[in-house]
């Protein structure tokens, strides 16, 4: 047997060992990578906060509170069915490809007719507008409706092929996951809320920020676009300024002129008031000494 043969077999054996080792190391690296990428629960790791802890109890509790106490005319709503429809809208689905369609069963179960002249939209005035509707029961924001009331300030997401909710992390607004469960939910229900609006409709805007009306906000890009002139007699805007805050924008400002021109195109009469008094009274509750307060 040729002398070089033993050495060549040796070389072949050590090549096989090296290749074997290489494959093992590579395999381990890939597995570790996937493990790092996937959380222990098998969900993808996102940058945003995870599904709100005890979301089912919170959601169900809010449903019963709303339908049995706040609006007993809705007492026949089946809260368990509503929760299941909500959960099935995103569970086991790709959390970046949720559609309006996914939420239709939930919307069907939570239909609520809002009387005309009682719809109140808002943009960048979340706290003030809800302090106002708590005091003034004649007007409804989306969060004063059953669907908005149950989901407000909650976070939820899952993953395709995984029957559990992702409590560790969910897509944040900055991540390229535009069709996330939360974002599609608010787009979908805001569209429905606007389509149902009728008579005199109101919006509360923030005059202490650079542009009170923002086209790519949910109000500007979804709700304004789904107001129908045959149902909506007029849109009344209230531009509120923080007490002691900046007077950055107002009814005579460029952003409101932008909104005015959109409403003109839609043939819906538009009026605007700076610091609508009844809302200012709400603000004055926490600033009784301020010169602009009675
Ligand atoms: C994430 C949430 C939440 O007219 C209002 C309401 O009808 C609302 O649904 O949409 C309008 C306000 O949205 P806009 O104009 O983008 O103003 P914003 O101050 O930037 O409010 C953004 C959030 C609105 C949707 N949304 N999104 N998580 O818990 C949540 N709650 C609401 N209402």
């Amino acid at each position: 047997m040729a002398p070089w043969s033993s050495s060549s077999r040796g070389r072949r054996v050590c090549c096989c060992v090296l290749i074997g080792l290489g494959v093992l190391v590579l395999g381990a690296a890939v597995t570790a990578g996937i493990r790092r990428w996937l959380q222990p629960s098998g969900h993808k790791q996102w940058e945003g906060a995870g599904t709100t802890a005890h979301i089912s109890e919170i959601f169900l509790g809010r449903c019963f509170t709303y339908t049995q106490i706040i609006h007993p005319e809705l007492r026949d709503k089946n809260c368990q069915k509503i929760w299941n429809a909500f959960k099935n809208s995103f569970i086991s689905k790709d959390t970046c490809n949720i559609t309006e369609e996914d939420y239709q069963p939930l919307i069907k179960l939570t239909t609520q007719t809002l009387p005309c002249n009682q719809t109140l939209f808002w943009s960048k005035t979340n706290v003030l507008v809800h302090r106002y509707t708590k005091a003034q029961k004649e007007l409804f924001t989306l969060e004063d409706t059953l669907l908005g009331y149950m989901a407000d300030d909650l976070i939820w997401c899952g993953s395709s092929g995984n029957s559990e909710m992702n409590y560790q992390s969910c897509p944040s607004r900055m991540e390229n996951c535009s069709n996330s469960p939360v974002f599609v939910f608010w787009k979908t229900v805001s569209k429905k809320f606007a389509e149902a609006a009728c008579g005199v409709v109101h919006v509360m805007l923030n005059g202490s920020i650079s542009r009170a009306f923002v086209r790519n906000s949910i109000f500007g890009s979804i709700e304004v676009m789904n107001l129908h002139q045959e149902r909506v007699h007029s849109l009344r805007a209230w531009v509120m300024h923080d007490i002691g805050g900046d007077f950055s924008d107002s009814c005579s400002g460029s952003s409101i002129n932008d909104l005015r021109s959109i409403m003109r195109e839609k043939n819906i009469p538009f009026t605007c008031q700076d610091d609508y008094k009844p809302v200012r009274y709400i603000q004055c509750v926490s600033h009784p000494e301020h010169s602009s307060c009675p």
Side-chain angles (χ1 to χ4, degrees), residues 120-136 139 141 202-207 236-243 273-287 292-294:
L120 174 56
F121 299 113
W122 54 275
S123 195
K124 324 299 180 196
T125 55
N126 192 354
V127 174
L128 179 58
V129 76
H130 294 110
R131 283 175 61 195
Y132 178 66
T133 55
K134 243 189 199 48
Q136 211 285 11
L139 291 177
T141 65
H202 295 83
V203 59
M204 188 184 292
L205 301 172
N206 186 338
R236 294 186 182 164
W238 299 326
V239 177
M240 302 306 300
H241 300 86
D242 300 341
I243 291 194
Q273 255 183 286
D274 285 316
D275 299 319
Y276 174 61
K277 272 247 166 303
V279 180
R280 175 45 55 109
Y281 292 149
I282 298 277
Q283 291 174 299
C284 288
V285 170
S286 23
H287 302 274
S292 69
C293 292

Side-chain angles (χ1 to χ4, degrees), residues 10-237:
R11 265 201 303 280
R12 265 206 305 277
V13 170
C14 104
C15 281
C16 294
V17 169
L18 282 176
I19 291 165
L21 274 178
V23 169
L24 269 177
V25 169
L26 191 62
V30 169
T31 323
I34 290 171
R35 259 220 194 81
R36 202 171 48 66
W37 188 64
L38 281 182
Q39 292 152 249
S41 52
H43 292 291
K44 184 176 175 321
Q45 178 76 36
W46 299 100
E47 288 162 13
T51 298
T52 306
H54 310 297
I55 189 170
S56 58
E57 293 86 356
I58 295 168
F59 191 97
L60 274 169
R62 288 179 178 182
C63 182
F64 287 117
T65 303
Y66 193 97
T67 57
Q68 306 305 313
I69 300 169
I70 303 175
H71 288 279
E73 74 274 15
L74 299 175
R75 69 175 66 78
D76 302 336
K77 294 284 184 194
N78 181 327
C79 287
Q80 193 55 55
K81 252 189 173 175
I82 291 171
W83 164 251
N84 295 341
F86 175 78
K87 193 176 174 190
N88 296 334
S89 63
F90 65 96
I91 277 294
S92 305
K93 296 177 181 175
D94 174 352
T95 211
C96 288
N97 284 313
I98 303 297
T99 67
E100 287 196 20
E101 238 8 76
D102 290 319
Y103 283 111
Q104 292 320 311
L106 172 68
I107 287 178
K108 280 199 183 60
L109 287 170
T110 52
T111 48
Q112 185 181 4
T113 42
L114 280 189
C116 288
N117 311 319
Q118 296 193 272
T119 297
L120 174 56
F121 299 113
W122 54 275
S123 195
K124 324 299 180 196
T125 55
N126 192 354
V127 174
L128 179 58
V129 76
H130 294 110
R131 283 175 61 195
Y132 178 66
T133 55
K134 243 189 199 48
Q136 211 285 11
K137 299 280 185 217
E138 293 309 307
L139 291 177
F140 283 76
T141 65
L142 175 58
E143 298 70 35
D144 297 313
T145 67
L146 174 57
L147 258 182
Y149 181 84
M150 293 187 294
D152 206 15
D153 295 327
L154 299 181
I155 297 172
W156 59 94
C157 70
S159 306
S160 45
N162 188 321
S163 61
E164 292 306 310
M165 289 185 267
N166 186 346
Y167 288 96
Q168 281 75 34
S169 68
C170 285
S172 68
R173 277 194 180 203
M174 271 48 80
E175 287 177 279
N176 66 349
C177 180
S178 54
N179 294 325
S180 68
V182 171
F183 191 59
V184 173
F185 172 85
W186 288 107
K187 280 199 309 184
T188 306
V189 296
S190 298
K191 183 165 173 268
K192 280 263 172 269
F193 187 55
E195 287 167 341
C198 53
V200 177
V201 168
H202 295 83
V203 59
M204 188 184 292
L205 301 172
N206 186 338
S208 291
I209 58 177
S210 56
R211 292 184 67 75
F213 173 67
V214 180
R215 272 194 184 240
N216 67 358
S217 65
I218 289 184
F219 171 64
S221 63
I222 294 170
E223 292 170 331
V224 164
M225 297 313 162
N226 287 285
L227 293 178
H228 301 305
Q229 68 148 68
E230 54 283 344
R231 294 172 58 78
V232 174
H233 302 151
S234 68
L235 174 66
R236 294 186 182 164

